[in-house]
Amino acid sequence: MLSRVSKTLFPKLPLCCILRFARAMSSQSAQRAFQLRVNPITGNSEWVVIEEDEPEEQTFNGGSQNALLVTTSYLDMLNDSHRNRAFREAIDKTISTPCHVLDIGSGTGLLSMMAARAMGSMTCRMVTACESYLPMVKLMKKVVRLNGMENQIKLINKRSDELKRGIDITSPAQVLVSEILDSELLGEGLIPSLQHAHDMLLVENPETVPYKATTYGQLVESTFLWKLHDLHGNEAKASDGILLVPTGLDNILGVKPQQYAFHCDAIGKEVKLLSEPFKIFEFDFWKRPDSHGETEVHVKSTNDGRVHAVISWWILQLDREGTIFYSTAPRWISLPGNTSHGDWCDHWKQCVWFVPGEGMSITKDEEVCLHAVHTDISISYNLKNQASRNEIMQYGFKNGDFKLILPPERIAIYGDSEWRHTMFSAISNSLQGRVDPLCIVADDSIFLTLLVAHLSKTSHVMSFFPGLQDKGFQYLQAVANSNGFSIDRVEFLNKRKTKLTMHDTHQKKVLSSQLSLYTSMNGC
């Protein structure tokens, strides 16, 4: 039940409505509970609302029609007192006369209720809230009703770009409140949502909360961040003879060229700052944004070093006058609205863009050119310096070349020589004395597959690759010769491991000690 959630969560929240949020979740069903779980598919921690009589395995596989899946952001965002206070102050300041307020992505209804409360008993007032996620719509209805605001807020279970003027809303809204933001700012569809709202749902020159957002960046040197993407540079330290990135195939493994959400404060002592913070993009909520934008920022280095990454964050200016701010900057940054000195939160982080390979070497006072591009949903960067003006530091490989994309965490594990030594010893001991063994790798581990095939010249290896699928097998085909084994001894099983039969294993049995060893390394 909800009493399992720490009681310290809710006293921080503004408005009695959020206290009633807790009661809304615990009422109606005495068997509903919040649990923090790791999604085995994405690897992310997620808050899940479960029914106690519901089989736990149904939570992530979509087997239950009644299960409510709520990501960490909802509860953690409600606990972010700095964020809540900033929005409340900006809404109270912006809404001073009766008006029509539109709340896009209303979630639990906090911003809608703030807007309704700001107008108080004014006549001709209206709040229209749209939320596409049905479980949150049901929850918001309870919260709004418990706060006595059901007659002040019209809730519509649609995406904002599905709303039609004259049908869903009777008139254009004078005020827009929204918080469809992720750590990168744009990933939740901020630009398309604002475009449609300005085209179809808002008056000309509306008031908005937030008023605008600005993204900032900083060049850093960090061995930790380097290890998250450059397996070729780190694998040389390993002594096991396994070549995940063989010579001549430097680009066969890598991370996707994108920004990755990351709690940079956790590695603050390890990060060497190579520049002052610099402004990248500015997005105005009060006018229609462009889908595409480019800029070049000339950054002067403040230290000698090697640029391994660009760390970025954003700052919200919530009011028109520029007196209320909220920031996701790391703790070492002193900027308006930087709340990272307060309570730790998980709903927004900083972002990291990896500079490929071993990074870019720079000297103090050298100028580096950062070319930034944004689309509807993402921001990307290229780097070049004066010494290599034509050499753009980006992820590039020839069209048609095969490249296996892995998460940064997996790249870091595969490049850890100590971890690899441990795995080498464990598998060697397990295979010792086995004749023609059948080995099954039940997860996505290309390393374990290569290791078994490398160590045992007579083994038959079966790999499921549930996430990588045939891309994992394509990779093995490309590196087999470099690792001294024939791909004929490796088989890709395109089926669930729970459906495996003796027919699939060619009537061979897997030794229980070996099977337990491999399945216990799930995710490695």
Side-chain angles (χ1 to χ4, degrees):
M1 294 183 292
L2 203 55
S3 59
R4 293 178 183 174
V5 181
S6 171
K7 295 181 180 179
T8 61
L9 287 177
F10 296 102
K12 301 179 184 178
L13 305 180
L15 297 175
C16 61
C17 62
I18 301 305
L19 295 175
R20 291 173 183 171
F21 161 77
R23 293 198 291 273
M25 289 304 296
S26 59
S27 64
Q28 307 293 323
S29 172
Q31 297 176 335
R32 183 168 294 166
F34 278 111
Q35 278 193 11
L36 183 63
R37 292 183 179 175
V38 175
N39 186 325
I41 298 176
T42 66
N44 295 328
S45 297
E46 298 177 352
W47 282 104
V48 182
V49 183
I50 64 169
E51 306 295 340
E52 290 193 344
D53 56 354
E54 173 194 352
E56 292 192 359
E57 61 270 19
Q58 293 184 355
T59 306
F60 284 116
N61 64 16
S64 172
Q65 296 297 319
N66 298 319
L68 298 177
L69 180 64
V70 183
T71 62
T72 309
S73 58
Y74 286 110
L75 289 179
D76 198 53
M77 200 174 291
L78 292 173
N79 275 308
D80 187 346
S81 57
H82 301 282
R83 167 254 188 194
N84 297 337
R85 187 181 306 113
F87 270 90
R88 184 197 66 214
E89 291 175 356
I91 288 173
D92 288 346
K93 184 177 180 180
T94 301
I95 303 175
S96 56
T97 58
C99 60
H100 181 191
V101 179
L102 174 63
D103 180 5
I104 293 179
S106 53
T108 59
L110 178 58
L111 301 188
S112 291
M113 290 185 289
M114 286 180 176
R117 189 181 68 172
M119 288 187 282
S121 58
M122 299 176 185
T123 58
C124 301
R125 68 192 192 280
M126 180 191 306
V127 178
T128 300
C130 64
E131 171 59 52
S132 63
Y133 186 43
L134 182 58
M136 294 310 299
V137 170
K138 294 178 179 179
L139 174 58
M140 181 178 171
K141 286 181 178 178
K142 293 180 182 180
V143 175
V144 169
R145 184 176 66 251
L146 287 170
N147 283 274
M149 296 184 178
E150 62 266 40
N151 295 326
Q152 299 170 256
I153 300 172
K154 179 183 179 181
L155 176 56
I156 303 173
N157 181 205
K158 290 183 178 181
R159 298 197 316 265
S160 64
D161 59 5
E162 297 173 330
L163 297 182
K164 298 189 181 301
R165 198 163 66 191
I167 299 177
D168 299 304
I169 62 174
T170 56
S171 62
Q174 289 90 23
V175 178
L176 171 68
V177 297
S178 64
E179 198 187 47
I180 43 177
L181 313 172
D182 67 351
S183 295
E184 191 179 20
L185 188 72
L186 305 181
E188 291 190 6
L190 173 66
I191 288 180
S193 298
L194 287 178
Q195 288 175 337
H196 180 267
H198 281 281
D199 290 344
M200 306 298 297
L201 308 175
L202 302 173
V203 299
E204 189 175 353
N205 297 319
E207 297 289 338
T208 63
V209 179
Y211 182 74
K212 69 178 181 180
T214 306
T215 63
Y216 289 85
Q218 193 166 26
L219 307 181
V220 302
E221 177 180 290
S222 168
T223 301
F224 182 90
L225 295 179
W226 172 52
K227 289 180 178 179
L228 287 172
H229 73 93
D230 184 19
L231 182 55
H232 181 262
N234 286 282
E235 189 174 43
K237 301 176 183 178
S239 58
D240 49 40
I242 306 300
L243 300 175
L244 289 167
V245 187
T247 302
L249 296 174
D250 298 359
N251 287 323
I252 197 168
L253 276 182
V255 298
K256 188 175 180 180
Q258 66 178 40
Q259 293 201 94
Y260 290 88
F262 196 87
H263 279 298
C264 293
D265 286 336
I267 61 168
K269 293 182 179 179
E270 193 267 345
V271 168
K272 179 181 179 181
L273 304 179
L274 299 179
S275 76
E276 295 293 336
F278 47 85
K279 178 179 174 180
I280 305 173
F281 285 116
E282 188 170 277
F283 300 92
D284 296 314
F285 287 60
W286 56 273
K287 65 180 182 181
R288 193 183 193 279
D290 295 326
S291 294
H292 177 86
E294 294 187 42
T295 186
E296 281 198 350
V297 184
H298 296 275
V299 184
K300 190 174 183 179
S301 60
T302 56
N303 277 302
D304 296 341
R306 184 169 291 276
V307 183
H308 289 135
V310 178
I311 290 178
S312 65
W313 60 91
W314 46 258
I315 296 179
L316 291 183
Q317 178 184 321
L318 287 106
D319 63 327
R320 182 182 291 270
E321 293 75 19
T323 61
I324 305 172
F325 295 90
Y326 182 94
S327 171
T328 62
R331 186 170 289 124
W332 62 75
I333 300 298
S334 178
L335 288 171
N338 186 4
T339 62
S340 61
H341 296 279
D343 298 330
W344 181 88
C345 65
D346 191 60
H347 54 93
W348 289 314
K349 309 175 181 70
Q350 296 79 46
C351 281
V352 172
W353 176 276
F354 299 116
V355 177
E358 296 183 357
M360 173 187 287
S361 179
I362 60 172
T363 58
K364 185 178 180 181
D365 296 327
E366 181 180 355
E367 189 176 83
V368 175
C369 180
L370 178 81
H371 181 230
V373 178
H374 81 75
T375 64
D376 276 347
I377 58 173
S378 65
I379 301 174
S380 58
Y381 309 111
N382 293 326
L383 274 178
K384 56 184 177 180
N385 57 13
Q386 297 298 321
S388 56
R389 295 184 181 181
N390 297 322
E391 180 185 353
I392 299 178
M393 301 295 290
Q394 61 181 343
Y395 285 84
F397 45 95
K398 297 178 182 179
N399 292 334
D401 285 356
F402 172 77
K403 184 167 186 173
L404 184 63
I405 301 299
L406 296 179
E409 297 85 357
R410 187 69 65 90
I411 294 291
I413 290 174
Y414 288 164
D416 188 324
S417 58
E418 184 176 345
W419 178 86
R420 287 172 62 142
H421 176 73
T422 301
M423 293 299 102
F424 185 93
S425 299
I427 301 299
S428 297
N429 292 336
S430 180
L431 291 174
Q432 191 171 13
R434 308 293 185 190
V435 179
D436 193 24
L438 170 63
C439 304
I440 292 179
V441 180
D443 55 35
D444 272 322
S445 179
I446 56 173
F447 180 79
L448 288 181
T449 304
L450 284 177
L451 182 57
V452 173
H454 176 83
L455 287 174
S456 176
K457 305 305 180 184
T458 61
S459 63
H460 185 77
V461 186
M462 292 183 171
S463 293
F464 285 91
F465 296 140
L468 298 178
Q469 294 294 308
D470 59 345
K471 292 182 179 179
F473 190 65
Q474 283 181 266
Y475 166 81
L476 294 177
Q477 289 176 307
V479 302
N481 288 338
S482 299
N483 285 278
F485 69 88
S486 171
I487 195 63
D488 295 338
R489 294 195 288 107
V490 180
E491 185 176 353
F492 167 50
L493 296 175
N494 190 14
K495 65 187 305 182
R496 293 183 180 180
K497 53 181 175 284
T498 54
K499 302 295 183 180
L500 192 68
T501 66
M502 290 289 289
H503 175 74
D504 299 304
T505 63
H506 312 292
Q507 306 306 315
K508 291 184 178 181
K509 291 184 178 181
V510 182
L511 293 177
S512 59
S513 61
Q514 293 174 347
L515 182 61
S516 63
L517 172 63
Y518 301 143
T519 56
S520 69
M521 296 175 185
N522 187 34
C524 295

